[in-house]
Amino acid sequence: MKVVKIGAVWCKECLVMKPMWEEIEKAIPGFEAEFFDADESPEVLEKYEVKDVPTFIFLDKEGGEILRLTGIQNKDDLIAKVKENLDK
């Protein structure tokens, strides 16, 4: 499982989520995440049909979408969702 994180430097919610994701990535071994700036990677927005930032797309090992979250999220809920989907 991998999470594609899409945000922007001008997005206040993205700035709130960034350190939270960093903590989660350090705390969970084997967790993979990749960040894309919405302004610098328009092809990623098009590929995943992203309309708002921040958007977090959980992908299975084959690259299929299993979960999509938008906006500010609760850290404990994110940890639970990552652990629940880690082996997918």
Side-chain angles (χ1 to χ4, degrees):
M1 190 262 314
K2 171 181 170 179
V3 175
V4 174
K5 305 177 295 180
I6 302 168
V9 295
W10 47 262
C11 167
K12 291 179 184 178
E13 291 178 333
C14 301
L15 297 175
V16 169
M17 293 302 301
K18 184 177 179 180
M20 190 182 309
W21 274 113
E22 288 172 355
E23 290 175 20
I24 293 169
E25 290 169 34
K26 288 178 186 174
I28 301 176
F31 173 55
E32 182 184 351
E34 189 170 6
F35 175 79
F36 294 94
D37 185 287
D39 295 323
E40 296 176 7
S41 303
E43 71 282 359
V44 175
L45 276 79
E46 185 176 326
K47 176 181 178 180
Y48 293 108
E49 300 178 0
V50 173
K51 305 293 183 210
D52 296 310
V53 291
T55 295
F56 312 107
I57 304 168
F58 289 60
L59 303 174
D60 63 20
K61 293 176 183 173
E62 288 77 41
E65 185 174 326
I66 52 178
L67 177 64
R68 179 179 295 231
L69 304 170
T70 304
I72 292 181
Q73 303 295 313
N74 175 283
K75 182 179 175 183
D76 292 335
D77 291 343
L78 280 177
I79 290 171
K81 286 177 182 5
V82 168
K83 289 182 176 180
E84 176 184 318
N85 292 292
L86 198 57
D87 293 327
K88 293 184 178 177

